Amino acid sequence: MEFINLGSTTLAAQYVAIELLRQIQSNKRSKLGLATGGTMEPVYAQLVQLIQSNPVDLSEIQTFNLDEYYELDTESKQSYLYYMKHHLFNHIDIRPEQYNFPNNDSVQLEADNEAYDRLIMQDHPINLQLLGIGTNGHIGFNEPGTPFDSNTRMVELTNETIQANARYFDSIEEVPTKAVTMGIRSIIKSHRIILLATGEKKKPIMKQLFQMKYPDEVIPASVLIHHPNVLVVTDDAASPY
């Protein structure tokens, strides 16, 4: 696991966006694992600009999002499908059948979760997985204590995560307490992983992750320690140095 501090939040987002573009250009059938949240907004803004400024064929790429709130209307402005459309999909030449999300409906949820795992691994794993990190070390919505061999499933969100997500809702009572998340098993099988952390709130967990020598399920992101191709990108505020 390699760490690099790029100084400014803007430069960190630009770098990640460039790596996403390079992956698409190097393999027009790329599978991209995508994340949401405030950290990723400048990444997608930069990626849109890059795609619009460069010759790139998006017709055969597939994207797989990490998570979606459980039983939240996907047309809601708080859904992650809406987030991805607003920040990326509506601004590039990509068809709805090319982007994938875990099903957040209670009907046949277990079967749908298994189908999502199969789809992720069909032909080959994700080529480039983009990750954020929670202040408690979660990746996706895999909260502390999640087994490293976990699959896509419905999860209960911790109070810390609910509090962190409250800024996207009118009140904390409206924040979903459950979500459906891609499991750590699928994440860790990705060929390449970039974890982006920005802002001073992420510094404590980044310091903790930087100092860890062995994976521990108490810090879900520590599963990345022994992955052969992981880059952790930070700005000054989140840097563990």
Side-chain angles (χ1 to χ4, degrees):
M1 186 165 58
E2 179 184 0
F3 285 75
I4 182 171
N5 171 23
L6 293 179
S8 73
T9 305
T10 298
L11 187 56
Q14 286 176 335
Y15 178 86
V16 175
I18 290 168
E19 289 303 298
L20 286 166
L21 179 71
R22 291 180 67 226
Q23 175 61 49
I24 296 168
Q25 289 180 321
S26 68
N27 179 0
K28 68 178 184 179
R29 294 185 177 88
S30 289
K31 287 184 175 181
L32 304 177
L34 301 180
T36 54
T39 301
M40 302 303 160
E41 291 179 17
V43 173
Y44 295 135
Q46 293 287 343
L47 182 58
V48 168
Q49 291 183 21
L50 288 170
I51 289 172
Q52 293 174 347
S53 303
N54 291 274
V56 57
D57 181 4
L58 301 177
S59 63
E60 296 184 72
I61 69 162
Q62 287 185 286
T63 70
F64 296 86
N65 263 75
L66 286 168
D67 39 41
E68 182 58 278
Y69 286 120
Y70 180 62
E71 292 194 324
L72 181 68
D73 184 352
T74 54
E75 296 300 316
S76 164
K77 290 185 177 182
Q78 285 77 34
S79 76
Y80 289 139
L81 175 57
Y82 180 93
Y83 172 104
M84 292 303 306
K85 287 181 176 179
H86 178 72
H87 292 289
L88 181 61
F89 298 152
N90 287 351
H91 309 286
I92 62 176
D93 187 15
I94 186 173
R95 304 181 308 279
E97 57 265 30
Q98 292 176 255
Y99 47 81
N100 303 278
F101 287 75
N103 188 7
N104 71 337
D105 195 311
S106 60
V107 179
Q108 295 186 327
L109 183 61
E110 185 174 348
D112 289 339
N113 289 343
E114 292 174 358
Y116 195 60
D117 287 329
R118 289 195 300 272
L119 186 61
I120 291 169
M121 297 303 298
Q122 185 175 306
D123 298 327
H124 60 82
I126 288 169
N127 295 102
L128 176 56
Q129 174 67 59
L130 177 60
L131 294 177
I133 185 171
T135 55
N136 61 5
H138 74 225
I139 50 176
F141 275 131
N142 295 289
E143 300 282 20
T146 298
F148 287 155
D149 62 353
S150 60
N151 294 313
T152 299
R153 69 211 181 282
M154 190 268 285
V155 296
E156 301 273 353
L157 303 181
T158 65
N159 185 62
E160 185 174 353
T161 298
I162 292 170
Q163 293 285 343
N165 292 344
R167 66 187 185 275
Y168 299 111
F169 294 81
D170 292 334
S171 69
I172 194 163
E173 288 76 22
E174 294 181 16
V175 183
T177 60
K178 299 177 182 179
V180 181
T181 185
M182 184 190 298
I184 292 177
R185 183 196 297 270
S186 294
I187 293 172
I188 204 65
K189 287 183 178 178
S190 303
H191 293 159
R192 184 181 180 208
I193 297 171
I194 297 179
L195 188 152
L196 176 63
T198 58
E200 61 184 16
K201 289 183 179 179
K202 301 297 176 69
K203 182 179 283 289
I205 190 62
M206 295 311 295
K207 281 187 173 181
Q208 193 171 355
L209 183 62
F210 181 70
Q211 294 167 358
M212 294 181 73
K213 297 186 183 301
Y214 304 100
D216 188 326
E217 291 176 353
V218 173
I219 306 293
S222 69
V223 73
L224 305 176
I225 289 174
H226 293 322
H227 189 284
N229 197 348
V230 174
L231 178 64
V232 180
V233 178
T234 73
D235 60 1
D236 280 333
S239 174
Y241 307 133

